[in-house]
Amino acid sequence: MGWFLFTIIILLLVVILYQYALNRSRSKQLQQLHDQLHRIMNDQTDEHLLMITDDKELKNMLIEINHLLDYSRTTAADHMKMEIATKKMIANMSHDLKTPLTVILGYIETIHMNPLMDASERTILLGKVYNKTLEVLELMRRFFDLSKLESGDQEIPLAQIDVNEICRHNILSFYDILTAQNFQVKIEIPDEPVFILGNEEALNRILNNLISNAIQHGGDGYLIGLSLKPDEEAVIIEVWDHGKGIHELHKDRIFERLYTMEDSRHRSYQNSGLGLTITKRLVEKMGGTIHVTSPPNERTVFAVRFKRLQF
């Protein structure tokens, strides 16, 4: 009986010593992890926590901490990109507001400093003030609309809509402008109705923005087109022009907020850089996609793809 109790005591002591050694080893490893993590966070490095261990729970913890480090770095990088984009957006918007406001101030000062100005000349200047004021209001409206779209505050109710009629209506609404500027227009719209689940007002704005963009930036070729290409699963709307095209440096950025190519700021009318961004957000709200192809001096194509409704 005595030997049995002695053996039990020895076994318990071994277990206690093993647990003590194991706890000391784990404490040491945890301290090493703490020191590594503290250094990584302080130095803002891209390292991961590394440790050789057979402890399964410790391995799992290392994996999750490294995932958390990756997420933190990605979040920080996204925040930095957003901060840079916001600063650039504010700078661009300040530029776009400053230009027409400066012109308006110049016209008003001219009228104010010349009380004996001829009535017809005054009327002309007031008309210019009016038009420039509309530019400012349009820019502010676009910025406000984009803010609502990106925050999710603007509802886009979807229903069955006939894409054919909407495409025809939009290209015809530009008839006077296209004729006055000697554009050739090619329209490819099938006779049979083509339906999608969408929003008529949003699609009108999408097409209006794309056609306006083609006229503004593709004017060198004096040729634009609108094509509607349905298949069994999808409906693809293409708005294209034969202008000088979009450089590769700009092609991936033209849908960014307030991003404008340098030459667009020397056009005869203001380009806010919001139209294509709003267009992309509206397309996505309707469950579609948009992309651009633009071989230099060939054909620039903005293609919008929606899922087709079948009956």
Side-chain angles (χ1 to χ4, degrees):
M1 186 67 178
W3 282 104
F4 177 76
L5 289 175
F6 180 74
T7 303
I8 293 297
I9 292 171
I10 294 296
L11 288 174
L12 288 174
L13 287 173
V14 169
V15 169
I16 291 170
L17 289 173
Y18 174 77
Q19 290 292 334
Y20 175 75
L22 189 65
N23 287 335
R24 284 200 61 182
S25 175
R26 176 172 285 188
S27 296
K28 185 177 179 181
Q29 288 176 328
L30 289 174
Q31 184 61 47
Q32 290 175 354
L33 289 179
H34 171 271
D35 294 341
Q36 280 190 52
L37 186 60
H38 182 74
R39 180 178 54 80
I40 290 171
M41 297 302 293
N42 280 349
D43 297 343
Q44 295 294 307
T45 67
D46 293 331
E47 299 175 64
H48 286 94
L49 291 178
L50 298 175
M51 177 169 287
I52 299 174
T53 179
D54 295 326
D55 191 321
K56 184 177 179 180
E57 287 76 13
L58 199 55
K59 287 181 179 179
N60 290 335
M61 186 179 72
L62 279 170
I63 292 171
E64 294 305 320
I65 291 177
N66 285 330
H67 286 164
L68 187 60
L69 284 172
D70 289 336
Y71 176 78
S72 175
R73 289 165 186 150
T74 301
T75 303
D78 290 343
H79 177 75
M80 182 64 70
K81 289 178 182 178
M82 180 65 69
E83 186 174 345
I84 293 171
T86 300
K87 289 179 180 178
K88 185 173 182 180
M89 179 183 67
I90 293 172
N92 286 344
M93 188 174 181
S94 298
H95 175 281
D96 288 337
L97 284 173
K98 181 180 178 180
T99 301
L101 288 174
T102 301
V103 174
I104 290 170
L105 182 60
Y107 288 147
I108 293 175
E109 286 180 347
T110 301
I111 294 172
H112 179 71
M113 298 297 292
N114 295 275
L116 301 178
M117 180 184 294
D118 183 75
S120 60
E121 186 178 354
R122 184 188 298 269
T123 300
I124 292 173
L125 288 179
L126 287 174
K128 292 180 178 180
V129 170
Y130 176 76
N131 290 332
K132 285 295 177 182
T133 303
L134 290 180
E135 282 187 14
V136 175
L137 290 175
E138 174 63 15
L139 175 60
M140 295 177 69
R141 183 184 69 84
R142 287 189 171 200
F143 188 78
F144 181 65
D145 288 347
L146 179 59
S147 298
K148 289 195 297 181
L149 283 170
E150 293 191 332
S151 65
D153 291 338
Q154 184 169 345
E155 292 291 333
I156 307 291
L158 303 181
Q160 174 186 312
I161 56 175
D162 184 353
V163 184
N164 305 55
E165 287 303 314
I166 296 174
C167 287
R168 290 192 188 98
H169 169 77
N170 276 274
I171 195 64
L172 288 175
S173 68
F174 285 88
Y175 176 80
D176 291 338
I177 296 175
L178 294 169
T179 302
Q181 298 187 25
N182 298 317
F183 272 87
Q184 294 182 13
V185 182
K186 289 191 176 182
I187 304 173
E188 297 175 286
I189 300 176
D191 293 329
E192 68 275 7
V194 177
F195 296 98
I196 66 169
L197 186 65
N199 181 280
E200 184 171 347
E201 182 181 350
L203 185 54
N204 279 326
R205 189 162 187 186
I206 290 167
L207 292 173
N208 185 282
N209 286 344
L210 292 178
I211 296 171
S212 297
N213 183 73
I215 294 172
Q216 178 180 355
H217 295 289
D220 299 334
Y222 293 98
L223 173 64
I224 71 169
L226 189 150
S227 304
L228 178 60
K229 300 177 179 179
D231 59 29
E232 291 298 320
E233 297 182 352
V235 175
I236 299 175
I237 305 170
E238 293 183 349
V239 178
W240 53 268
D241 64 74
H242 273 199
K244 67 179 182 180
I246 304 171
H247 195 279
E248 285 294 326
L249 294 174
H250 299 293
K251 196 167 67 173
D252 294 334
R253 301 190 62 192
I254 57 175
F255 295 109
E256 293 180 11
R257 289 177 295 178
L258 289 169
Y259 182 79
T260 56
M261 293 174 287
E262 287 303 316
D263 65 335
S264 69
R265 293 195 180 276
H266 302 288
R267 298 280 180 174
S268 59
Y269 53 93
Q270 194 78 2
N271 176 36
S272 69
L274 289 173
L276 289 177
T277 308
I278 292 173
T279 297
K280 186 173 188 293
R281 298 294 186 271
L282 289 173
V283 169
E284 292 170 344
K285 286 282 187 178
M286 293 168 58
T289 58
I290 183 171
H291 70 274
V292 58
T293 57
S294 185
N297 299 309
E298 292 184 24
R299 175 187 278 200
T300 298
V301 182
F302 283 86
V304 181
R305 187 181 189 276
F306 297 110
K307 184 177 180 181
R308 182 176 183 179
L309 286 181
Q310 296 285 7
F311 300 97

